[in-house]
Amino acid sequence: MRTQVAIVGAGPAGMLLSQLLHLQGIDSVVLERRSREYVQQRVRAGVLEQGTVDVLREADVADRLEKQGHPHHGVNVQFDGDRLRIPLSELTGGRSITVYGQQEVVKDLAERRERDGGRVYYEVPDVTVEGVETEKPVVRFTSEGRVRELHCDYVAGCDGFHGVSRTTIPEKELTTYERVYPFGWLGILAEVEPSSEELIYSNHPNGFALHSLRSSTLSRLYLQCDPNESIEQWPDDLIWEELQTRLGTSDWKLREGPVIDKNITALRSFVSEPMRYGRLFLAGDSAHIVPPTGAKGLNLAVADVDRLARSLTDYYHHGSTTGLETYSEECLRRVWRVQHFSWWMTSLTHRFDGPDAAYDRRLQRSQFDYLRSSTAAATTLAENYVGLAAV
Ligand code: APR
Ligand code: PHB
């Protein structure tokens, strides 16, 4: 088999890249380890920056997003029951975010690629990437019992944190940076009308909680928990009790309803540099992870892919390799800005135990008061939250 760009991973990064390239007349093949059903039912974050919506529109996959997504012009930060609304649009010259589930983005992309005859192979467990330091990379895999060899010009590693692409780069070529947080998030999807029109990030002495939503009948809620706890240790009653405690205020209560999905994810920050090795380009979670506070993971993946698609287009249409050569450096500037913001939002809103706990909590209170009293401080949060246009 032959293609111009072999794409490993059919998450949002891989599928969006395939679609953006298709619109430019560039051929790609996508190889995904899991089944299509599995990829599309994975519940992930749901906040799209304005720049992300713009790219999805450009990719011509935003019809349903425009109908069903909810634009938000503000976000709430709460500390010990004091709630502060950050007026995002007012502070950023009218920019906003859109709440629309990541798996819906993936569904829209997969449907679109299918309609256009895109080659996407699901349930391909054994992808190997070879020869990316030569002019002729080869990707090998087995599909429906047949061993295949895919010859290509470039390989895009869009296969997430646990993928194979990054591991094919010799260790000595990479520098990795990592921070593992001593907590996780327990997330639930509940069939109940959201209790607030806007998101609420709450820091309570018991720990962090987040109120988010998916639609007028679906709420998405999170609790800080021990990352090693099993979900069985959290019966629904206990989850609601803890959410009420951490999110409630003197005059506000959370609506409760049937829980239809629940899971626990550990929090981590991770960057692997550079994001290019020969003819292999990493994009999205395969190169970097942020903790979900601020919901930047998908947005960062889209920013990488947008840049990669433009660079490949420059190469195929104009013979220019400048974009490909500067890809890693340009992406990493945004990656580190977002690393900082996600770490900062996490530090402000979570419970930290240990010898410095009392001191840390005082710092959090001070930062919260500063957000409340200073337009400059609130603007810093707002412009990062809606997404910086240029970094
Ligand atoms: N071969 C083929 N596919 C693979 C392999 C492999 N060896 N390893 C992993 N994959 C697939 C995964 O099954 C997954 O579908 O690659 C895909 C990677 O998708 P994501 O993990 O969603 O990563 P990405 O597309 O970069 O999107 C980033 O998704 O993980 C969230 O929070 C993250 O919102 C962020 C966004
Ligand atoms: C979500 O809606 O799933 C969500 C929202 C905001 C976050 C993380 C997740 O920071």
Side-chain angles (χ1 to χ4, degrees), residues 7-15 31-35 38-39 42 44-45 102 106 121 124-127 157-165 283-290 292 295-302:
I7 300 174
V8 190
M15 292 306 284
L31 306 172
E32 165 61 48
R33 183 169 56 165
R34 305 282 196 164
S35 68
Y38 179 91
V39 172
R42 264 187 312 210
R44 295 275 182 78
Q102 176 172 318
V106 176
Y121 291 80
V124 171
D126 60 346
V127 170
C158 301
D159 46 352
F161 183 64
H162 300 286
V164 286
S165 301
D285 277 17
S286 68
H288 42 70
I289 300 282
V290 284
K296 292 295 178 199
L298 171 63
N299 294 293
L300 205 48
V302 168

Side-chain angles (χ1 to χ4, degrees), residues 11 42 49-50 92 111 126 148 208 225 276 374:
R42 264 187 312 210
E49 292 175 0
Q50 190 153 324
T92 60
E111 264 161 36
D126 60 346
R148 313 256 192 160
F208 168 82
C225 66
R276 172 198 180 175
S374 158

Side-chain angles (χ1 to χ4, degrees), residues 57-299:
R57 224 177 257 142
E58 217 174 286
D60 207 11
V61 288
D63 288 357
R64 199 158 67 93
L65 156 65
E66 265 157 16
K67 285 194 203 97
Q68 295 174 14
H70 296 247
H72 283 213
H73 301 284
V75 64
N76 299 285
V77 182
Q78 184 169 313
F79 193 91
D80 282 351
D82 295 342
R83 191 171 294 176
L84 168 69
R85 178 176 187 268
I86 310 280
L88 296 172
S89 300
E90 211 175 293
L91 295 172
T92 60
R95 292 172 78 79
S96 59
I97 53 151
T98 300
V99 172
Y100 187 68
Q102 176 172 318
Q103 74 268 40
E104 304 306 319
V105 173
V106 176
K107 264 183 226 159
D108 295 344
L109 283 161
E111 264 161 36
R112 185 57 204 270
R113 288 310 290 126
E114 191 173 34
R115 237 190 308 141
D116 291 348
R119 287 188 284 173
V120 182
Y121 291 80
Y122 289 95
E123 299 179 62
V124 171
D126 60 346
V127 170
T128 60
V129 177
E130 289 158 38
V132 291
E133 56 287 270
T134 72
E135 301 271 290
K136 296 190 167 105
V138 183
V139 178
R140 285 177 224 278
F141 63 100
T142 311
S143 173
E144 293 170 349
R146 280 181 60 194
V147 180
R148 313 256 192 160
E149 235 176 50
L150 175 62
H151 297 262
C152 56
D153 302 328
Y154 291 103
V155 180
C158 301
D159 46 352
F161 183 64
H162 300 286
V164 286
S165 301
R166 192 181 65 249
T167 63
T168 63
I169 305 175
E171 240 170 71
K172 65 175 179 19
E173 303 289 338
L174 290 179
T175 309
T176 57
Y177 303 85
E178 186 164 34
R179 177 181 294 242
V180 177
Y181 297 87
F183 39 74
W185 277 19
L186 187 168
I188 64 165
L189 203 55
E191 278 176 335
V192 59
E193 182 189 337
S195 312
S196 155
E197 283 182 8
E198 295 177 337
L199 274 69
I200 306 163
Y201 291 84
S202 175
N203 186 338
H204 181 274
N206 288 10
F208 168 82
L210 168 62
H211 172 280
S212 182
L213 58 149
R214 285 294 178 274
S215 69
S216 57
T217 55
L218 268 187
S219 298
R220 177 79 173 143
L221 299 141
Y222 295 94
L223 283 173
Q224 175 182 354
C225 66
D226 184 319
N228 302 313
E229 269 171 317
S230 85
I231 199 74
E232 285 71 42
Q233 289 167 269
W234 285 91
D236 295 357
D237 288 357
L238 183 61
I239 295 176
W240 286 115
E241 192 185 317
E242 203 50 37
L243 284 167
Q244 291 289 3
T245 304
R246 297 188 196 181
L247 284 164
T249 68
S250 53
D251 57 0
W252 186 92
K253 216 172 153 322
L254 189 65
R255 291 192 186 102
E256 300 183 13
V259 175
I260 54 170
D261 187 273
K262 56 178 172 178
N263 67 321
I264 292 178
T265 338
L267 264 65
R268 113 179 26 241
S269 299
F270 172 83
V271 182
S272 167
E273 295 184 2
M275 288 169 61
R276 172 198 180 175
Y277 175 67
R279 287 177 170 254
L280 169 64
F281 291 83
L282 302 181
D285 277 17
S286 68
H288 42 70
I289 300 282
V290 284
T293 334
K296 292 295 178 199
L298 171 63
N299 294 293

Side-chain angles (χ1 to χ4, degrees), residues 308-322:
L308 185 53
R310 284 173 200 278
S311 305
L312 288 165
T313 302
D314 270 355
Y315 169 72
Y316 282 110
H317 291 191
H318 310 293
S320 163
T321 55
T322 313

Side-chain angles (χ1 to χ4, degrees), residues 310-380:
R310 284 173 200 278
S311 305
L312 288 165
T313 302
D314 270 355
Y315 169 72
Y316 282 110
H317 291 191
H318 310 293
S320 163
T321 55
T322 313
L324 294 172
E325 274 150 26
T326 56
Y327 169 78
S328 174
E329 186 189 322
E330 295 285 341
C331 284
L332 285 166
R333 249 208 303 280
R334 174 175 294 270
V335 168
W336 279 108
R337 173 87 299 282
V338 170
Q339 286 288 334
H340 177 268
F341 178 66
S342 305
W343 161 82
W344 179 82
M345 278 285 281
T346 305
S347 308
L348 173 67
T349 54
H350 286 68
R351 171 184 162 147
F352 288 82
D353 294 322
D356 304 331
Y359 178 85
D360 288 347
R361 198 152 179 84
R362 289 295 220 187
L363 287 186
Q364 291 175 332
R365 177 82 228 182
S366 168
Q367 181 63 50
F368 178 79
D369 290 343
Y370 184 41
L371 281 175
R372 188 157 52 181
S373 62
S374 158
T375 307
T379 305
T380 294

